[in-house]
């Protein structure tokens, strides 16, 4: 009787654990993993399994008496830890699953407390980028002769994260997640990065935008990542069910964060009055491999001083993205997006105010400029704990004719790196970054950076 009761608790814990978004979400992929032949696993899958095995489980109110029950609980929770790394909203730079997992005796509640110490050092030459993140849009044109080279080191990206999973008779399975890191003022101040709750298929709180496909972005050492990286974090309400085993559908309403150009005297910023609406449909043919079509619609407002009225425009974007393992050593990444008025969601353009810009033919009006971007990456695992990545991305800005010729036209980012996990939770990496900014006039400037990083998580 005791065994049956504990077994039910284990099953409950596993199911509720898989329901938490951004590491805990409903997915039969966890069950699918049990059916996979180890021979079919990619090197990346094996590396993830090794990370999951490094987690330590601590009972907070006494262990179950039966060794069989304890082993079953450990195996079940370890599958939950493994599933964390296959989350659609997780990128390689995001936190590892906490090293210490505290469980109740019945395994119906689990708390993870973790963190990571990250150190980055970089050296720029051929023209220094003025930001710690290597963003092509920030490359100065013309070059500043006083800043041809630059060296810096920063602990930015060091983090703490907390995860709790539980079940209640009234609301059913739920999860709580808090993540904060040291990337605030001067890259050292502590700031909240994510904070949300998940109840069944619903997510409430400050979480990654539904428009973002973090899993489809290649592993990059630099904090900015590909210049086509859209990874906005918003306060949102998301509904994300899974159906027919391999399909996901998500819809959300999200608090907008707009970047509007009001350099002219004829216009000023107006308050946001409608949430963004985002959605995606995704087909996942195997755990950690999918293709997704995402979309977002935004309300963008400004106030015209000349007409003394509020103007409301619409921004929108679509994105096609994918991640796959065509061969056990290889992982491919790809994203392609297009739209207008979505620059504030991330990428190269977020360093300016490009959601709405001044119409060159009428300075009393703003418009939502069009944009186009792409990213492609290829990762090769020499061993499960040693891999190299090459990636390239571009972001194109397509404003109306008559725009200032010194404005940004497009940026290119190319990188090559190598990651080595000396231990499952100790990783070192080196990367070469090359970026170029081209203005509307055709004038362009390139810059190079060497990135080194070490990351230890617990």
């Amino acid at each position: 009787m005791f065994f049956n009761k504990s077994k039910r608790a284990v099953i409950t814990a596993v199911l509720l654990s898989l329901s938490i978004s951004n590491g805990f979400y409903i997915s039969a992929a966890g069950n699918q993993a049990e059916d996979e032949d180890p021979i079919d696993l990619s090197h990346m899958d094996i590396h993830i399994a090794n990370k999951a095995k490094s987690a330590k489980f601590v009972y907070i109110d006494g262990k179950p008496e039966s060794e069989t029950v304890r082993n079953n609980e450990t195996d079940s929770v370890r599958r939950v830890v493994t599933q964390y790394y296959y989350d659609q909203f997780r990128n390689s730079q995001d936190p590892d699953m906490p090293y210490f997992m505290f469980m109740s005796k019945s395994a119906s509640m689990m708390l993870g407390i973790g963190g990571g110490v990250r150190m980055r050092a970089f050296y720029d030459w051929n023209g220094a980028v003025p930001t710690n993140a290597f963003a092509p849009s920030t490359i100065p044109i013309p070059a500043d002769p006083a800043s041809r080279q630059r060296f810096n080191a920063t602990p930015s990206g060091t983090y703490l994260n907390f995860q709790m999973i539980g079940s209640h008779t009234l609301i059913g399975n739920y999860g709580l997640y808090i993540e904060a890191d040291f990337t605030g003022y001067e890259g050292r101040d502590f700031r909240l990065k994510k904070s949300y709750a998940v109840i069944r298929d619903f997510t409430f709180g400050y979480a990654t935008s539904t428009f973002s496909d973090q899993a489809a972005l290649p592993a990059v050492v630099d904090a900015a990542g590909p210049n086509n990286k859209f990874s906005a974090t918003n306060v949102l309400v998301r509904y994300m069910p899974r159906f027919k085993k391999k399909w996901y559908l998500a819809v959300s309403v999200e608090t907008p964060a707009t970047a509007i150009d009001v350099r002219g005297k004829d216009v000023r910023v107006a308050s946001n009055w409608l949430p963004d609406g985002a959605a995606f449909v995704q087909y996942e043919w195997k755990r950690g491999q999918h293709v997704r079509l995402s979309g977002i619609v935004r309300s963008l407002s400004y106030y015209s001083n000349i007409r003394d009225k509020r103007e409301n425009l619409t921004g929108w974007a679509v994105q096609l993205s994918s991640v796959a393992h065509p061969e056990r050593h290889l992982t491919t990444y790809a994203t392609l997006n297009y739209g207008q008025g979505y620059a504030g969601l991330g990428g190269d353009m977020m360093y300016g105010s490009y959601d709405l810009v001044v119409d060159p033919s009428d300075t009393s009006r703003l418009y939502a400029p069009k944009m186009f971007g792409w990213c492609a990456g290829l990762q090769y695992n020499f061993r499960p704990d040693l891999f190299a990545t090459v990636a390239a991305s571009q972001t194109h800005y397509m404003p109306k004719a008559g725009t200032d010729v010194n404005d940004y036209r497009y940026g290119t980012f190319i990188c090559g790196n190598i990651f080595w996990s000396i231990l499952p939770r100790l990783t070192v990496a080196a990367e070469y970054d090359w970026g170029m900014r081209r203005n509307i006039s055709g004038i362009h400037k390139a810059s190079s950076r060497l990135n080194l990083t070490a990351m230890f998580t617990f």
Side-chain angles (χ1 to χ4, degrees):
M1 182 175 179
F2 174 81
F3 176 79
N4 290 336
K5 182 178 180 181
S6 296
K7 186 177 180 180
R8 288 195 300 270
V10 171
I11 294 173
T12 299
V14 172
L15 292 177
L16 66 90
S17 297
L18 294 176
S19 71
I20 310 304
S21 176
N22 200 20
F24 304 110
Y25 60 93
I26 291 180
S27 169
N31 296 329
Q32 178 184 350
E34 298 175 21
D35 300 330
E36 290 178 352
D37 190 330
I39 297 178
D40 295 332
L41 294 178
S42 70
H43 279 323
M44 178 180 283
D45 293 322
I46 296 172
H47 180 51
I48 289 173
N50 290 336
K51 279 193 173 185
K53 290 178 182 178
S54 70
K56 301 298 181 183
F57 306 109
V58 181
Y59 288 93
I60 58 177
D61 55 359
K63 296 181 179 180
E65 297 177 1
S66 168
E67 182 178 356
T68 302
V69 172
R70 292 198 302 271
N71 292 337
N72 287 340
E73 289 180 352
T74 299
D75 291 342
S76 297
V77 176
R78 203 177 297 281
R79 286 195 293 271
V80 173
V81 174
T82 301
Q83 187 62 23
Y84 170 83
Y85 293 96
Y86 292 99
D87 175 22
Q88 293 109 320
F89 297 104
R90 185 180 185 279
N91 180 250
S92 60
Q93 293 191 3
D94 288 338
D96 279 337
M97 191 72 167
Y99 183 78
F100 296 104
M101 307 298 297
F102 300 93
M103 297 190 301
S104 64
K105 187 176 181 179
S106 63
S108 60
M109 184 171 292
M110 183 167 62
L111 172 66
I113 301 175
V117 176
R118 189 197 314 262
M119 297 297 297
R120 287 190 181 98
F122 60 86
Y123 175 74
D124 291 352
W125 69 95
N126 193 31
V129 175
T131 56
N132 286 347
F134 189 78
S137 64
T138 64
I139 296 174
I141 299 178
D144 183 356
S147 299
R148 292 185 57 83
Q149 297 89 22
R150 180 183 178 221
F151 169 78
N152 196 16
T154 174
S156 179
T158 296
Y159 69 85
L160 294 173
N161 64 322
F162 306 87
Q163 303 174 11
M164 181 178 178
I165 304 165
S167 182
H168 192 277
T169 55
L170 181 62
I171 63 175
N173 304 328
Y174 67 90
L176 305 175
Y177 182 85
I178 298 175
E179 179 187 337
D181 63 8
F182 296 87
T183 55
Y185 178 69
E186 294 185 346
R188 294 180 178 86
D189 280 6
F190 200 50
R191 70 175 185 114
L192 182 67
K193 193 172 182 181
K194 294 176 185 176
S195 175
Y196 60 83
V198 176
I199 301 176
R200 301 182 185 275
D201 292 334
F202 290 92
T203 300
F204 309 86
Y206 190 50
T208 302
S209 171
T210 302
F211 180 69
S212 173
D213 189 356
Q214 295 282 74
L217 295 172
V220 175
V221 172
D222 188 81
N227 68 335
N228 187 43
K229 175 183 176 180
F230 289 92
S231 56
T233 302
N234 301 320
V235 176
L236 56 78
V237 177
R238 175 166 54 228
Y239 176 60
M240 192 179 76
R242 184 173 183 271
F243 57 97
K244 293 186 177 180
K245 294 184 178 181
K246 296 184 177 182
W247 290 89
Y248 289 87
L249 176 67
V251 293
S252 66
V253 290
E254 308 182 6
T255 301
T258 56
I260 298 175
D261 182 7
V262 290
R263 288 175 292 180
K265 297 180 180 179
D266 299 333
V267 295
R268 54 196 169 103
V269 175
S271 57
N272 297 316
W273 67 288
L274 281 177
D276 294 346
F280 74 69
V281 59
Q282 173 179 299
Y283 176 72
E284 183 180 83
W285 61 90
K286 199 171 183 180
R287 184 177 64 168
Q289 303 181 67
H290 69 253
V291 60
R292 174 192 290 185
L293 180 63
S294 311
I296 191 167
V297 178
R298 317 180 73 202
S299 175
L300 304 171
S301 302
Y302 71 96
Y303 196 88
S304 171
N305 296 328
I306 291 179
R307 289 184 299 279
D308 194 26
K309 64 177 296 189
R310 179 192 185 105
E311 303 284 355
N312 300 309
L313 302 178
T314 299
W316 60 271
V318 292
Q319 178 168 268
L320 183 65
S321 54
S322 177
V323 56
H325 302 305
E327 195 269 339
R328 69 192 308 250
H329 296 270
L330 294 177
T331 304
T332 60
Y333 304 90
T335 60
L336 181 69
N337 53 59
Y338 175 78
Q340 62 182 41
Y342 71 109
L345 298 177
D348 217 14
M349 304 297 288
M350 71 177 296
Y351 290 89
S353 300
Y354 290 99
D355 282 344
L356 293 180
V357 298
V358 176
D359 191 323
S361 63
D362 183 354
T363 58
S364 69
R365 294 183 182 276
L366 300 183
Y367 74 100
K370 292 182 173 61
M371 284 176 51
F372 167 76
W374 60 266
C375 175
L378 179 66
Q379 176 178 313
Y380 185 85
N381 279 73
F382 304 97
R383 306 193 309 250
D385 59 355
L386 179 66
F387 69 84
T389 302
V390 291
S393 59
Q394 276 192 340
T395 296
H396 293 255
Y397 175 51
M398 297 178 285
K400 289 184 177 181
T403 299
D404 185 351
V405 297
N406 295 316
D407 210 340
Y408 175 97
R409 177 60 175 171
Y410 71 83
T412 303
F413 174 82
I414 298 175
C415 76
N417 58 48
I418 186 164
F419 285 77
W420 179 30
S421 293
I422 301 172
L423 300 172
R425 292 178 175 270
L426 174 60
T427 301
V428 295
E431 177 175 275
Y432 169 71
D433 299 323
W434 181 88
M436 184 190 71
R437 168 179 171 147
R438 181 181 291 271
N439 288 346
I440 293 174
S441 65
I443 297 176
H444 59 278
K445 181 70 179 68
S447 184
S448 297
R449 170 174 289 186
L450 175 64
N451 255 306
L452 301 174
T453 188
M455 179 74 173
F456 185 85
T457 65
F458 63 88

